[in-house]
Amino acid sequence: QLQLVESGGGLVQYGRSLTLSCAASGSPLATYTIAWFRQAPGKGREGVACIDVIGGTKYVDSVKGRFTVSRNNAENTAYLQMVNLTRDDTGPYFCAASGNSLLDCRIDQREMKTWGKGTLVMVSR
């Protein structure tokens, strides 16, 4: 059974960069699309980006040009590289896996079957 563990969160200054990792175990990550979600303080969980099994990616408008999602199937790990962080990027970040839309990923919580527990990103002034 697939399990996901996020890491790489922490406290970072405004305008700086951070890379999150999503390590998979129990099943090959290569057979899943991966998506990243986050939850700003006081708000609901929102999608950020996704990557399909052949490397196609999608992003929500608020992170386009600043975030890059990638995957290394040999390492069974997905990544979310974030640059030029702002305080609006603060919150826990979750990776999730879906066995659907393998060649056309969707940033849709309803499609996700497996979730990690999250890693916290805090952007300071």
Side-chain angles (χ1 to χ4, degrees):
Q1 185 175 354
L2 180 68
Q3 293 182 320
L4 302 174
V5 178
E6 303 92 336
S7 62
L11 178 63
V12 62
Q13 285 185 326
Y14 178 96
R16 302 298 291 268
S17 303
L18 205 59
T19 297
L20 307 181
S21 299
C22 173
S25 62
S27 187
L29 194 63
T31 59
Y32 297 91
T33 60
I34 300 297
W36 287 91
F37 298 85
R38 66 184 180 185
Q39 188 166 8
K43 296 185 178 180
R45 191 161 54 188
E46 65 171 359
V48 175
C50 68
I51 184 167
D52 62 35
V53 296
I54 58 173
T57 58
K58 292 180 181 177
Y59 302 90
V60 296
D61 287 345
S62 60
V63 307
K64 281 181 181 177
R66 299 191 301 121
F67 288 16
T68 303
V69 58
S70 62
R71 63 193 303 158
N72 185 325
N73 292 331
E75 295 182 351
N76 233 26
T77 303
Y79 302 94
L80 184 67
Q81 181 181 9
M82 307 181 292
V83 302
N84 195 20
L85 286 163
T86 73
R87 296 189 72 186
D88 289 341
D89 297 317
T90 291
Y93 282 68
F94 305 88
C95 67
S98 171
N100 299 324
S101 304
L102 298 181
L103 300 179
D104 182 23
C105 66
R106 299 181 183 181
I107 312 172
D108 186 340
Q109 299 184 53
R110 296 169 297 180
E111 289 213 352
M112 301 300 135
K113 287 189 175 182
T114 303
W115 291 81
K117 294 183 179 181
T119 185
L120 184 59
V121 173
M122 294 178 291
V123 183
S124 65
R125 296 179 184 174

